[in-house]
Structures are given as C-alpha cells and as structure tokens.
C-alpha cells in the first residue's frame, strides 16, 4: 500500500515539474523573463516579467515599470480540470499586491493546453470567505485544502498574451484597486461588534455616548470582534480592561420640518442619531436650538435652548421664537427628510412660558429673511440679542413688508384729498453691522372714520426693492433713491399716499406724528 502511494506521489510530482518546465519554455519563446521559486514557502512557482514597452513620448525617468506577476503552475494529464490549493497560500494570492495567476497545464504528449485564472474580485472574495470560516471554526489554514475548477472559458491558447492583457486592463493603480477589493469585500453594514461592560448605574451612559450626549465613558471591559461575510472572528482583536471609551457618533444629516398649529411651518438643518444594544434602542434629534432624546426604554426629553449672544442662522432664531410662543396644549408635528427618505417623528408639546414679546421677534426675523431673499443675498448669522436690540426698527420693517395686518389711523387735514388707493413707503433697520431696508406698496382695502379719525386698512404688501448693506450711509442713499424712483413712476396716478420713511410715524410713542405726503 505504501509503495503504491509513493509511486502515485512521484508520478504527480513529475507531471508537476513537466508543467513548470513547459511554462518556463513558453516564457522564453515569448521573451518573458521567468524566475523560478527556489524555496516554495509562500505558494508561488514563478515570478515573471514582461518586456518593457518604452514610449518615446515619455521621459526616461517617467517610463512605467515592466508588467510583473506571480504564477502558481499546476499540471495534469487527462480530463481532470480541478486542482487543490492550500488555504493559507490562496489567502496570500488574494492579498498579494502583485498580479497573481493560477495556471493549469494539461499535458497531451508534446502538446500543452493552457488554462488560467486571474486572482481578482471573485476569487479574492471566495478565498477570503474560506479563510474567515476556517478562523471561526478554529481550522489551521495550512491543513485546509480548497478546490479550483477551470472551465472552457478559462482556456487561453495565447496564455502570456492573455495575462499581459489582464494586467493592462487593471493596470491603472493596480495595487490601489486590488487593495480596495481586499479591504472592502465581505463587509456589510458593520465591520465588527463592540462590547462594552459598564455598571448598572451607568446603563444609559453608553447610549448617551453613541448619541453624542457624552464625550467619554469609563468602561470596565472593552472588546472588539471583527465581522466579515456575516461571520464573527473566533477571538476579539481588542480585549482591554478599564478603558476610557470615546467615540465619534454617526448621524444622518437632513432637514427637520416643523408644522406649528395653524399654517406656520419652519424648516431647519438637523442631525438624527440612533443607538441600539441589541435589546434597547434610542434616538436623538439635534436641530441646534431643539434637542429631542427618546429612549432607551421610557426616557423622553425635549429641550429648547439658545444663548442670547451666540450667533446662529436665521432658521434657528425663527425656530426658537416660534417655540417660545406655543401654549402647553399645542402640538407641533415633526417630519425629518434625509435624502429621499421622509421620516414621521411624531408630535411634541412644550411649555416655555418666557414672555409675550416673541410674536414681534418673529415678525422681525421674517423681515430680515424677506429682505435677503428678495435681493438674492445670503442670510447672515446673528444672535437673538442682535435682533432684540433692533426689534422696534425691525418690527416697523416687518409691518411694511411682512404678511401682517397693517392699519393707519390719522387725522386728515382739511383740503387734502382722501382718494388714496395705495400707500408707498420705505423702512430700514440696523442689525449689528448690517442695514436691512425695503421699499413697498400696500393697497388700501377699506377705510373708516371713527371719532373724527380716518382709519385705513391695507392689503398684503407688494415688495418693490430690498437690500442688505454693511455701509449705513450708502444704504440710506440707495433706499432713498429706490423710493424716489418708484414714486416718480407712480405719481401720474394721483392716488398714492406716499409717506416716505415709515419709522418717522411709527415711533412707538402712541402719539400722532405729521405725515409729510410726498
């Protein structure tokens, strides 16, 4: 029995040597340098180098290297087209930065039929999967054999020409492309599993860490086990005791749409975090001035916060002002949009209770946004304190150009025509280092005489001109010119109540001021 096995082994060995020699001779006939592996410790038999292709249009020091490759040669006689490879060698082929080929020489007398496979994405994935399974099962890779079957599609009569073509096809940044396959194939939504052990009194802290509510957390034990092709490694790659854990939480970025009672809607940029420990889950909505945390278990927290002197976007200012106006019984519907996905986040109610001046601030913020939008300028950032300090001027501007009711009560002089159909005016406000201004017209929809006073009621505005300027003097000249130009255009109608700067009569004192009708 042993003599028979020895004979078969020697015969296979001679067939293998014959295949290697025929491959070497093939390389010689095609001017391909072929170096034999003297010590076959890493599985490859031949290291080949194709003749360089010099290009006269490229400088000598920038000529590309000659194509090179590692080759494992297998040989057989008869109809057998399946060969065996050691798993540890197959993994080396998959991870090798050089192009690697598995060649099968079918010996038919003096004739050789060549089959070959390029170790690329399909084989790389299959062999790395086999390696992952062997690791999970605790099987030594050098004792594990894997099979490789060649089909008619793998037959190449011009073997070396085909190999050179494969290298050329993938030659652009070959190392980077193959490395990317090796580093990414087999990984799904997660690359591994982290287990962090904390005391029961810190059960929520691990969620807060993943939700971005904590910067770090002291854990008694930390392990990380990689996962590939859905299979976890047999042993953790990291296993440490007494670790200060700090993570960078991941959040989906999108826009939060808030539907307030009535018809008011507000949109702000927001981030959505989620955390899951396999048993409980939690999520956090961070919309700047609005922070909502739900979970784990029955934890729910809603917080609105904005520092008075911290600069932020007008979206954030408007959101905070609207939240301050909501009565406790009012519900605000939340909808998050992330790319093309729409998430219904339910509804919230809040009890802020912080004063009665927020509707005016809402008008003020709306006025600033109307000016920048109409003039196609970028909305600047500012603080709530900046808006508060300019709230009266912004309120007048908002009364002129905002979608708010406007009434003018006056005592008409005798002999002055009252056949006005429209009012033309302008107004401006200085917010920090910027001037916001507008010229607008409002049509008169009704009039009443009460106690000797004429009261005019106006339709929503028609905005004619707006601008936001850093130079206050230049802004004054520009808004005055825009007003005069519009007045000149409308004067022939003869029914315009042109009152100039609206701030001159809306000074907040409650007393009458003369209207200098232009």
């Amino acid at each position: 029995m042993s003599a028979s096995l020895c004979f078969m082994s020697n015969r296979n060995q001679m067939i293998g040597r014959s295949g290697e020699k025929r491959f070497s001779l093939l390389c010689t006939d095609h001017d391909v340098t072929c170096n034999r592996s003297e010590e076959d410790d890493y599985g490859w038999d031949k290291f080949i180098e194709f003749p360089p292709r010099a290009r006269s249009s490229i400088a000598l020091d920038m000529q590309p290297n000659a194509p090179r490759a590692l080759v494992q040669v297998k040989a057989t006689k008869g109809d057998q087209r399946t060969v065996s490879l050691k798993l540890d060698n197959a993994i080396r082929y998959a991870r090798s930065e050089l192009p690697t080929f598995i060649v099968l020489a079918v010996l038919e007398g003096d004739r050789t039929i060549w089959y070959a496979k390029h170790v690329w994405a399909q084989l790389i994935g299959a062999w790395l999967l086999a390696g992952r399974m062997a690791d999970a099962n605790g099987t030594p890779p050098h004792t594990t054999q894997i099979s490789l079957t060649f089909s008619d599609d793998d037959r190449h009569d011009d073997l070396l020409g085909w190999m050179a073509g494969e290298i050329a096809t993938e030659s652009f940044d070959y190392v980077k492309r193959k490395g990317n396959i090796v580093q990414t194939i087999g990984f799904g939504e997660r690359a591994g599993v982290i287990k962090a052990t904390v005391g029961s009194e810190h059960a929520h802290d691990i969620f807060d860490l993943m939700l971005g509510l904590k910067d770090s957390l002291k854990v008694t034990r930390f392990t990380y086990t990689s996962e590939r092709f859905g299979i976890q490694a047999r042993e953790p790659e990291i296993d440490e005791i007494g670790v200060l854990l700090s993570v960078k939480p991941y959040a989906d970025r999108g826009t939060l749409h808030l539907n307030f009672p009535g018809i008011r809607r507000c949109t702000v940029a927001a981030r959505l975090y989620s955390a899951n420990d396999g048993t409980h889950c939690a999520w956090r909505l961070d919309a700047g001035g609005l922070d909502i945390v739900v979970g784990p278990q029955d934890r729910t927290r809603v917080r609105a916060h904005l520092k008075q002197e911290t600069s932020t976007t007008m979206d954030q200012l408007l959101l905070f002002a609207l939240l301050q106006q909501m009565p406790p019984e009012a519900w605000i519907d939340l909808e998050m949009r992330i790319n093309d996905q729409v998430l219904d986040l339910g509804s919230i109610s809040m009890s802020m209770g912080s004063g009665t001046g927020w509707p005016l601030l809402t008008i003020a913020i709306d006025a600033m946004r109307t000016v920048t939008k109409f003039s196609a300028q970028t909305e600047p950032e500012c603080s709530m304190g900046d808006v508060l300090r300019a709230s009266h001027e912004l309120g007048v501007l908002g009364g002129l150009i905002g979608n708010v009711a406007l009434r003018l009560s006056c005592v008409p002089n005798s002999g002055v025509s009252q056949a006005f159909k429209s009012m033309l005016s302008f107004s401006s406000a200085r917010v920090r280092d910027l001037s916001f201004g507008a010229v607008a017209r409002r049509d008169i929809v009704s009039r009443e005489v009460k106690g000797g006073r004429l009261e005019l009621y106006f339709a929503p505005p028609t905005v004619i001109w707006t601008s936001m300027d850093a130079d206050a003097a230049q802004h004054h000249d520009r808004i005055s010119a825009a007003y005069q130009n519009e007045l000149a255009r409308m004067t022939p109608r003869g029914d315009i109540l042109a009152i100039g700067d609206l701030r001159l009569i809306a000074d907040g004192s409650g007393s009458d001021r003369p209207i200098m009708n232009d």
Side-chain angles (χ1 to χ4, degrees):
M1 183 68 176
S2 62
S4 176
L5 287 173
C6 182
F7 173 76
M8 290 298 294
S9 177
N10 288 337
R11 182 173 181 273
N12 290 338
Q13 189 176 38
M14 294 305 293
I15 293 174
R17 288 179 180 175
S18 180
E20 291 183 26
K21 288 180 179 180
R22 292 192 187 190
F23 181 78
S24 296
L25 182 60
L26 179 69
C27 291
T28 301
D29 291 342
H30 288 80
D31 297 325
V32 175
T33 302
C34 181
N35 294 292
R36 179 170 178 265
S37 174
E38 296 295 337
E39 298 182 3
D40 188 9
D41 294 333
Y42 296 103
W44 58 272
D45 297 314
K46 306 292 182 181
F47 174 74
I48 63 173
E49 189 169 8
F50 292 87
R53 297 180 179 180
R55 297 173 61 182
S56 59
S57 60
I58 299 179
L60 183 62
D61 61 299
M62 299 180 68
Q63 291 283 343
N65 289 328
R68 297 169 293 173
L70 299 178
V71 181
Q72 170 70 47
V73 180
K74 298 287 185 178
T76 186
K77 287 185 176 181
D79 297 331
Q80 181 67 22
R81 298 292 183 271
T82 299
V83 300
S84 295
L85 303 171
K86 287 183 178 181
L87 178 57
D88 57 348
N89 286 336
I91 293 175
R92 291 190 186 101
Y93 303 151
R95 299 185 66 87
S96 171
E97 293 183 348
L98 285 174
T100 304
F101 296 88
I102 311 299
V103 172
L104 174 64
V106 179
L107 309 181
E108 296 183 353
D110 294 336
R111 179 169 174 256
T112 307
I113 302 175
W114 297 104
Y115 294 81
K117 287 181 179 288
H118 181 195
V119 180
W120 199 243
Q122 184 175 358
L123 288 180
I124 290 173
W127 293 347
L128 293 180
L129 171 59
R132 172 61 60 155
M133 294 174 65
D135 174 85
N137 296 329
T139 306
H142 65 280
T143 65
T144 302
Q145 296 285 330
I146 59 174
S147 297
L148 182 63
T149 299
F150 294 85
S151 68
D152 291 339
D153 292 336
D154 300 317
R155 178 172 173 172
H156 306 288
D157 295 331
D158 180 14
L159 176 63
L160 294 174
W162 171 79
M163 293 170 67
E166 285 289 293
I167 297 173
T169 301
E170 310 293 350
S171 63
F172 180 74
D173 215 350
Y174 185 100
V175 173
K176 183 177 180 180
R177 292 186 63 185
K178 187 173 183 181
N180 184 61
I181 295 173
V182 172
Q183 297 299 322
T184 60
I185 197 168
F187 291 108
E189 293 183 356
R190 64 184 188 185
V193 176
I194 291 175
K195 292 184 179 180
T197 305
V198 298
S200 59
E201 68 275 15
H202 299 296
H204 283 180
D205 290 350
I206 191 69
F207 285 92
D208 290 347
L209 188 67
M210 292 186 285
L211 296 177
L213 297 171
K214 290 181 69 71
D215 296 326
S216 61
L217 176 65
K218 184 68 176 292
V219 298
T220 55
R221 186 181 181 188
F222 175 88
T223 64
Y224 169 76
T225 306
S226 67
E227 182 175 298
R228 197 173 200 178
F229 303 103
I231 304 171
Q232 287 188 26
R234 186 163 49 96
E235 298 290 340
E237 295 179 21
I238 302 174
D239 191 345
E240 298 290 342
I241 302 297
V243 173
L244 184 65
L245 181 60
S246 178
V247 301
K248 183 178 181 180
Y250 173 78
D252 288 308
R253 295 178 180 269
T255 54
L256 175 65
H257 298 260
L258 301 97
N259 292 313
F260 289 85
I263 60 173
R264 188 74 206 218
R265 187 177 177 90
C266 180
T267 302
V268 295
R271 292 175 291 182
L272 186 63
Y273 300 85
S274 62
N276 190 324
D277 68 353
T279 303
H280 302 102
C281 62
W283 59 267
R284 176 192 175 202
L285 177 67
D286 179 9
L290 177 65
D291 201 304
I292 303 173
V293 178
V294 177
Q297 297 176 319
D298 57 353
R299 179 177 69 163
T300 301
R301 187 184 75 194
V302 181
R303 177 171 175 253
H305 57 97
L306 186 67
K307 293 183 178 179
Q308 183 167 310
E309 299 303 331
T310 299
S311 291
T312 186
T313 64
M314 291 190 187
D315 286 336
Q316 289 291 339
L317 295 178
L318 180 61
L319 170 61
F320 192 76
L322 291 172
L323 290 173
Q324 294 287 349
Q325 301 173 52
M326 292 299 102
E329 67 276 7
W331 288 90
I332 306 166
D333 298 328
L334 306 179
E335 181 182 273
M336 182 80 173
R337 297 189 180 184
I338 303 171
N339 298 324
D340 295 330
Q341 186 179 15
V342 179
L343 304 176
D344 184 354
L345 301 182
S347 303
I348 60 171
S349 63
M350 304 182 68
S351 178
M352 305 294 287
S354 55
T356 59
W358 294 103
L360 177 60
L361 287 178
T362 302
I363 294 173
I365 297 165
D366 283 338
M368 297 167 66
R369 302 187 75 182
T370 299
V371 168
T372 55
K373 182 178 181 180
F374 191 88
S375 57
Q377 293 174 282
T378 302
E379 289 185 2
E381 291 192 351
C382 60
S383 69
M384 189 62 78
D386 296 326
V387 179
L388 284 168
R389 284 183 284 273
S391 59
H392 174 68
E393 291 180 340
L394 286 171
V396 175
L397 179 61
L400 176 63
I401 63 174
N403 189 24
V404 296
L406 184 63
R407 175 178 62 89
L408 177 64
S409 177
C410 59
V411 178
N413 291 334
S414 59
V416 176
S417 172
Q418 299 179 23
F420 304 121
K421 293 183 179 180
S422 299
M423 175 194 74
L424 179 68
S425 184
F426 68 89
S427 186
S428 63
R430 188 73 177 177
V431 182
R432 199 158 63 182
D433 55 355
L434 292 171
S435 294
F436 295 78
V439 177
R441 185 186 75 247
R442 276 183 177 255
D443 292 336
I444 299 172
V445 293
S446 66
R447 65 192 71 212
E448 296 179 0
V449 178
K450 294 182 179 181
R453 301 184 66 87
L454 174 64
E455 295 191 350
L456 304 176
Y457 297 86
F458 298 95
T462 299
V463 179
I464 298 167
W465 178 93
T466 69
S467 183
M468 177 183 68
D469 302 292
D471 189 318
Q474 182 184 57
H475 178 81
H476 179 269
D477 293 341
R478 294 184 65 199
I479 196 172
S480 298
Y483 171 76
Q484 291 298 331
N485 289 338
E486 183 63 18
L487 179 60
R489 191 184 68 82
M490 297 179 65
T491 295
R493 289 173 43 179
D495 56 3
I496 302 300
L497 176 62
I499 61 175
D501 191 346
L502 188 61
R503 292 178 302 171
L504 298 180
I505 59 173
D507 64 352
S509 65
S511 58
D512 287 338
R513 300 290 300 274
I515 299 177
M516 301 302 294
N517 183 19
D518 295 316

